[in-house]
């Protein structure tokens, strides 16, 4: 009886253990089947941290958003504004020292006229100081004699001219009364009365203009002295002054400026000498024409024509008109018409034959550029500005053309040097016999 419970207990323990092993096997088989049927798990999205900045849509660069044409126009526009401002400042400075500038420019023109004579005397063996002094004295004496001769002729003929002008006005009045323009004596008297009233009403202005004329005379004498003084130094020491001026130019631009300077001087010299020759021919032929037409003061008028010829286009018109007016009021309509024909014929020969032949292509400037430059120079500095305007344009044209060619030549030389590559290395020569290399 006592053995039965022990056996039953062992049997129950064995069954319990077997049941646990079967349970483990089923659970393991179910896990395997579940792994085979199941898909890989999808990871859950990770929320951004609380301090993450919000996403902002990117925008293009404003410079890239502007069209290319507008950008180019803006770039050119502000550069033009800078250049215009620079030119305006320079013009203000020049207007403040206008007397000095005009005197120096006049000395340059006179030096360009006289310097070939100094160079010719130097070639003949004359030292530089005496050659300069002799040329300057002769040049200024000739200019002074011309001015004295004109003044003397005007003073000698002023009384006779006044009578001839009065007779000419009376003859012009009779011609207007008998002309087909139907001008009446009353209308002529009204015009004369209006002129007298205008002179009387503006007497104060005329008086102030006379007072200002004294200041003009003083400034003119000062400018003449400055021009003479500057001319002497330019004739004597012009090359050294130019070499010193080159030191003020940046080193990178110095070779181009050094090459453009002599060409600009040759252009200025050719312009001045050619203009003097053309003006002399105009004065001689027009003077002879009005002399044979019995126009009074033919010689002073010829000198005025010579001086006004230094103002291109405008000077010829003014001097020709002056000769025609003098012929009209002194000799009548027929003589005035003949004088006009002589002036036009000589000016046509000058414009189509003399200027192209004497001045040449080196100083040829387009007529539009001549008109604009003379007008601008006259507006800025009066008669002096009109005189120096065209030579300034001619010299600027020469300098710009040379600098453009120099830049292109330099660029081609640089490209050729880059294409050829670096030069091959130079091998050292072997030592001579009996010497040992170090």
């Amino acid at each position: 009886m006592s053995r039965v419970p022990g056996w039953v207990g062992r049997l129950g323990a064995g069954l319990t253990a077997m049941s646990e092993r079967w349970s483990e096997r089923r659970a393991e088989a179910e896990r395997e089947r579940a792994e085979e049927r199941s898909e890989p798990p999808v990871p859950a999205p990770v929320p951004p941290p609380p301090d993450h900045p919000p996403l902002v849509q990117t925008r293009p660069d404003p410079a890239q958003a502007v069209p290319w044409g507008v950008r180019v126009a803006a770039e050119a526009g502000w550069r033009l504004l800078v250049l215009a401002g620079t030119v305006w400042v320079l013009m203000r400075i020049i207007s403040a020292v206008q007397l000095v500038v005009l005197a120096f420019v006049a000395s340059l023109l006179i030096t360009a006229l006289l310097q070939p004579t100094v160079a010719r005397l130097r070639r003949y063996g004359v030292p530089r100081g005496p050659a300069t002094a002799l040329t300057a004295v002769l040049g200024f004496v000739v200019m002074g004699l011309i001015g004295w001769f004109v003044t003397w002729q005007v003073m000698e003929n002023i009384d006779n001219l006044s009578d001839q002008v009065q007779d000419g006005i009376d003859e012009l009045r009779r011609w207007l009364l008998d002309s087909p323009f139907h001008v009446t004596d009353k209308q002529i008297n009204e015009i004369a009365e209006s002129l007298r009233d205008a002179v009387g009403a503006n007497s104060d202005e005329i008086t102030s203009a006379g007072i200002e004329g004294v200041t003009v005379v003083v400034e003119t004498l000062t400018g003449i002295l400055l021009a003479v003084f500057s001319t002497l130094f330019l004739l004597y020491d012009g090359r050294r002054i130019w070499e010193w001026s080159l030191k003020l130019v940046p080193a990178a631009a110095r070779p181009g400026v050094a090459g453009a300077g002599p060409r600009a001087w040759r252009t200025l010299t050719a312009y001045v000498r050619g203009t003097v020759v053309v003006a002399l021919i105009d004065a001689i032929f027009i003077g002879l024409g009005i002399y044979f037409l019995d126009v009074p003061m033919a010689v002073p008028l010829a000198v005025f024509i010579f001086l006004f010829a230094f103002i291109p286009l405008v000077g010829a018109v003014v001097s020709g008109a002056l000769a025609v007016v003098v012929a009209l009021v002194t000799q009548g309509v027929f003589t005035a018409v003949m004088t006009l024909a002589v002036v036009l014929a000589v000016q046509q020969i000058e414009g189509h034959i003399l200027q192209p032949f004497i001045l040449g292509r080196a100083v040829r400037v387009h007529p539009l550029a001549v008109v604009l430059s003379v007008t601008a120079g006259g507006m800025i500095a009066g008669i002096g500005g009109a005189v120096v305007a065209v030579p300034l344009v001619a010299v600027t044209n020469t300098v710009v053309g040379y600098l453009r060619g120099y830049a292109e030549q330099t660029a081609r030389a640089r490209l050729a040097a880059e294409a050829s590559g670096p030069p091959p290395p130079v091998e050292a020569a072997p030592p001579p016999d009996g010497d040992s290399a170090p």
Side-chain angles (χ1 to χ4, degrees):
M1 249 343 255
S2 59
R3 295 182 180 177
V4 175
W7 176 79
V8 174
R10 286 195 297 275
L11 181 61
L15 292 175
T16 301
M18 186 181 297
S19 174
E20 291 176 354
R21 288 197 294 272
W22 279 105
S23 298
E24 291 176 356
R25 290 180 179 177
R26 280 198 305 271
E28 188 175 6
E30 288 176 359
R31 280 199 305 271
E32 291 177 356
R33 287 195 297 270
E35 289 176 359
E36 291 177 357
R37 289 195 306 267
S38 64
E39 297 178 357
V42 179
V46 180
D51 57 347
H52 185 74
L55 298 177
V56 180
Q57 184 180 3
T58 59
R59 296 181 179 178
D61 187 7
Q64 300 296 330
V66 179
W68 175 255
V70 177
R71 295 174 63 185
V72 172
E75 293 284 339
W78 72 260
R79 285 176 171 84
L80 289 176
L81 288 177
V82 171
L83 289 176
T86 305
V87 171
W88 183 81
V89 172
L90 288 177
M91 295 305 300
R92 298 288 293 181
I93 295 174
I94 291 174
S95 63
V97 291
Q98 179 178 347
L99 179 63
V100 178
V101 173
L102 289 179
F104 182 73
V105 173
S107 67
L108 282 177
L109 297 177
I110 298 173
T111 303
L113 179 63
L114 301 180
Q115 192 271 336
T117 305
V118 176
R120 189 174 294 109
L121 292 176
R122 291 292 305 277
R123 286 195 297 269
Y124 290 154
V126 182
R128 181 172 58 180
T132 301
L134 182 61
T135 304
V137 169
L138 289 178
F140 287 116
V141 165
V142 170
M143 296 178 190
L145 287 176
I146 292 174
W148 170 81
F149 180 75
V150 172
T151 305
W152 173 64
Q153 285 290 313
V154 172
M155 297 302 295
E156 284 289 325
N157 295 277
I158 190 68
D159 295 333
N160 186 23
L161 180 64
S162 177
D163 296 336
Q164 289 182 344
V165 167
Q166 185 62 42
D167 295 339
I169 292 175
D170 294 338
E171 183 179 352
L172 180 61
R173 179 174 181 173
R174 289 192 297 269
W175 181 81
L176 289 175
L177 291 174
D178 297 335
S179 67
F181 298 110
H182 305 291
V183 179
T184 62
D185 194 6
K186 181 179 179 181
Q187 292 175 338
I188 295 176
N189 292 331
E190 289 177 354
I191 294 174
E193 187 68 24
S194 299
L195 291 176
R196 284 194 293 268
D197 293 340
V199 173
N202 297 314
S203 58
D204 296 336
E205 287 78 2
I206 294 174
T207 304
S208 63
I211 296 175
E212 292 178 358
V214 177
T215 306
V216 171
V217 170
V218 174
E219 291 181 353
T220 302
L221 293 177
T222 305
I224 291 174
L225 292 177
L226 284 175
V228 171
F229 190 75
S230 302
T231 302
L232 289 175
F233 276 95
L234 289 174
L235 286 174
Y236 180 77
D237 218 9
R239 182 177 295 277
R240 232 180 297 183
I241 294 174
W242 168 248
E243 292 174 353
W244 176 84
S245 302
L246 283 178
K247 296 178 181 179
L248 304 178
V249 180
R254 196 170 299 163
V257 176
R263 289 166 175 81
W265 182 250
R266 285 196 294 269
T267 299
L268 182 62
T269 303
Y271 175 83
V272 174
R273 296 177 67 182
T275 303
V276 168
V277 173
V278 172
L280 187 61
I281 294 174
D282 286 352
I284 290 175
F285 283 97
I286 295 178
L288 289 175
I290 61 179
Y291 175 78
F292 287 116
L293 290 172
D294 291 332
V295 178
M297 293 199 309
V299 176
L301 285 175
V303 176
F304 277 116
I305 291 170
F306 173 79
L307 296 177
F308 275 92
F310 286 89
I311 306 176
L313 298 181
V314 179
V317 173
V318 172
S319 60
L322 179 62
V324 172
V325 169
V326 173
L328 177 64
V329 298
T330 57
Q331 299 296 325
V333 178
F334 177 77
T335 305
V337 172
M338 295 303 297
T339 303
L340 179 61
V342 171
V343 171
L344 292 178
V346 173
Q347 289 181 357
Q348 289 298 316
I349 295 174
E350 170 201 340
H352 294 87
I353 298 176
L354 295 180
Q355 285 191 354
F357 180 74
I358 296 176
L359 295 180
R361 300 183 60 88
V363 293
R364 183 172 297 177
V365 182
H366 196 276
L368 179 60
V370 172
V371 173
L372 294 179
S373 60
V374 170
T375 304
M379 293 174 62
I380 295 172
I383 296 178
V387 171
V388 304
V390 176
L392 179 61
V393 171
V395 169
T396 303
N397 184 32
T398 300
V399 171
V400 171
Y402 173 79
L403 292 179
R404 186 189 303 115
Y406 177 80
E408 293 176 356
Q409 183 179 0
T410 304
R412 286 196 297 268
R414 188 188 306 111
L415 291 176
E418 292 176 356
S420 61
V426 179
E427 298 181 358
D433 296 338
D435 293 340
S436 59

